[in-house]
């Protein structure tokens, strides 16, 4: 069978799968058939899934199949690439891709109030807010956080979850515990609504730690136990962020002198990393 025939078969298989809404399954065929524009469209359509599940390596592998100049000329792909570095903690690598996204977005010539452009700018501001928080640049953090919340689409719940998570951490570090609790509870609701369980579960650990700092130990224990039980009921493989919840629960159990239970939850926290 000739190479041309194989390519044609790959493209036909990919087109059939895409028509039947099997985009993730269609993607390898589009890549194998060198239909790079189709592959880019598919990645843009399905990237939210791997991001929400924390499957960063999967998303990076897909993006690595595309020429870098193609990614740089598509603002959404540049933003997706930036999110992979954000989730990996490679903060220095984020900004160049945000700048690529801004340049390519400007070249599209969309009006400022265009929903697509506005939401992308909101995502860009959200990542810059996160970077500013990690640097301890509080004025810039709050500026970008406010900008992101203003620009994002109302249904961009996953990114709004991330922003509120960063707000909660910022308030926590500034010892504004009441504001931190409010932000973390918002993350809990948004995370459940959007499927962004990585941020939601992680912030429940921070919420529990904040409640402990306020002296609300019983609330913290009930929150942690409910989260652990509910998570294990719905997810066969617990997220690594559940370790933070186990650690917060262990802290209270230790204070209550329930040492065996405290050690058990601390061991789970270590296992989950």
């Amino acid at each position: 069978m000739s190479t041309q025939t194989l390519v044609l078969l790959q493209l036909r298989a990919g087109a059939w799968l895409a028509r039947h809404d099997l985009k993730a399954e269609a993607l390898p065929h589009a890549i194998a058939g060198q239909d790079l524009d189709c592959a880019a469209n598919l990645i843009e359509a399905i990237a939210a899934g791997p991001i929400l599940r924390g499957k960063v390596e999967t998303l990076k592998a897909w993006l690595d199949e595309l020429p870098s100049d193609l990614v740089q000329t598509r603002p959404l792909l540049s933003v997706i690439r930036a999110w992979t570095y954000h989730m990996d903690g490679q903060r220095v690598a984020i900004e160049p891709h945000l700048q690529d996204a801004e340049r390519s977005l400007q070249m599209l010539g969309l009006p400022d109030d265009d929903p697509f452009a506005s939401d992308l700018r909101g995502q860009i501001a959200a990542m810059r807010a996160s970077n500013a928080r990690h640097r301890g640049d509080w004025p810039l953090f709050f500026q970008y956080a406010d900008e992101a919340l203003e620009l994002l689409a109302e249904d961009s719940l996953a990114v709004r979850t991330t922003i509120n998570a960063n707000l909660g951490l910022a308030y926590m570090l500034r010892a504004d515990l009441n504001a931190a609790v409010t932000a973390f509870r918002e993350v809990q609701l948004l995370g459940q609504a959007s499927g962004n369980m990585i941020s939601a579960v992680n912030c429940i650990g921070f919420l529990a730690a904040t409640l402990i700092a306020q002296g609300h130990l019983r609330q913290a224990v009930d929150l942690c136990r409910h989260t652990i039980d509910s998570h294990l009921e719905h997810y066969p493989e617990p997220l690594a962020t559940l370790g933070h919840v186990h650690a917060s629960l262990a802290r209270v159990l230790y204070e209550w002198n329930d040492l065996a239970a405290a050690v058990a939850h601390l061991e789970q926290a270590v296992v989950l990393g």
Side-chain angles (χ1 to χ4, degrees), residues 1 5 42 50 54 75 77 91 97 102-103 119 121 124 131 137 141 149 153 166 170 174 185 189 212 224 237 250 273:
M1 189 178 294
T5 301
L42 290 169
L77 282 183
R91 303 199 172 276
H97 296 287
E102 288 177 322
R103 279 192 294 269
D119 188 69
R121 291 190 180 99
I124 291 168
N131 279 354
D137 188 338
F141 163 72
L149 291 172
N166 278 290
R174 290 158 67 92
R185 290 199 186 280
L189 295 173
I212 291 168
C224 290
E237 294 184 13

Side-chain angles (χ1 to χ4, degrees), residues 55-111:
K55 303 294 184 181
V56 179
E57 294 308 316
T58 298
L59 195 48
K60 281 185 176 180
W62 291 344
L63 290 167
D64 287 343
E65 295 289 345
L66 302 179
S68 59
D69 58 346
L70 175 61
V71 176
Q72 290 168 359
T73 57
R74 297 182 66 133
L76 180 53
L77 282 183
S78 292
V79 167
I80 292 169
R81 173 68 86 179
W83 277 118
T84 66
Y85 289 120
H86 176 274
M87 294 180 66
D88 253 359
Q90 299 182 49
R91 303 199 172 276
V92 176
I94 295 172
E95 182 60 29
H97 296 287
L98 299 183
Q99 293 178 12
D100 286 340
E102 288 177 322
R103 279 192 294 269
S104 55
L105 190 58
Q106 186 174 16
M107 290 178 64
L108 291 178
L110 299 173

Side-chain angles (χ1 to χ4, degrees), residues 19-268:
R19 282 199 305 272
H20 290 79
D21 205 29
L22 298 169
K23 296 182 177 64
E25 292 80 359
L27 179 57
H29 295 284
I31 292 172
Q34 287 297 294
D35 189 346
L36 299 180
D37 283 329
C38 177
N41 290 335
L42 290 169
I43 291 172
E44 289 177 347
I46 62 179
I51 289 174
L52 292 176
R53 295 193 302 272
K55 303 294 184 181
V56 179
E57 294 308 316
T58 298
L59 195 48
K60 281 185 176 180
W62 291 344
L63 290 167
D64 287 343
E65 295 289 345
L66 302 179
S68 59
D69 58 346
L70 175 61
V71 176
Q72 290 168 359
T73 57
R74 297 182 66 133
L76 180 53
L77 282 183
S78 292
V79 167
I80 292 169
R81 173 68 86 179
W83 277 118
T84 66
Y85 289 120
H86 176 274
M87 294 180 66
D88 253 359
Q90 299 182 49
R91 303 199 172 276
V92 176
I94 295 172
E95 182 60 29
H97 296 287
L98 299 183
Q99 293 178 12
D100 286 340
E102 288 177 322
R103 279 192 294 269
S104 55
L105 190 58
Q106 186 174 16
M107 290 178 64
L108 291 178
L110 299 173
D112 290 341
D113 59 353
D114 177 82
F116 172 76
S118 179
D119 188 69
L120 270 190
R121 291 190 180 99
Q123 293 187 51
I124 291 168
M127 281 183 270
R128 284 178 172 155
S130 181
N131 279 354
R133 181 184 67 78
H134 278 269
R135 294 194 306 269
D137 188 338
W138 302 115
L140 195 59
F141 163 72
F142 285 108
Q143 173 188 324
Y144 279 131
D146 288 344
E147 181 180 334
L149 291 172
E150 180 179 347
L151 290 171
L152 283 167
E154 289 299 321
D155 60 357
S156 287
L157 300 181
V159 185
R160 289 180 178 276
T161 302
T162 299
I163 297 167
N164 278 281
N166 278 290
L167 283 168
L169 291 169
Y171 291 134
M172 190 178 183
L173 291 170
R174 290 158 67 92
D176 189 346
L177 300 185
N178 289 331
V181 166
T182 300
F184 288 142
R185 290 199 186 280
E186 181 71 10
V187 171
Q188 187 179 3
L189 295 173
L190 287 171
Q192 292 169 350
S194 67
N196 188 352
M197 296 309 297
I198 293 176
S199 290
V201 173
N202 191 42
C203 279
I204 287 172
F206 284 115
L207 173 57
T210 308
L211 291 170
I212 291 168
Q214 291 180 314
H216 303 311
L217 304 187
R218 173 53 63 186
Q219 286 185 44
V221 167
D222 290 345
L223 174 67
C224 290
R225 283 178 170 158
H226 173 75
T227 300
I228 292 169
D229 292 344
S230 176
H231 189 79
L232 296 179
E233 180 181 344
H234 292 93
Y235 296 90
E237 294 184 13
L239 293 170
T241 49
L242 194 65
H244 191 189
V245 181
H246 280 286
S248 293
L249 180 55
R251 178 180 170 187
V252 179
L253 294 174
Y254 176 80
E255 289 190 24
W256 287 352
N257 205 33
D258 189 349
L259 301 185
V263 168
H265 284 287
L266 196 57
E267 287 175 344
Q268 282 297 309

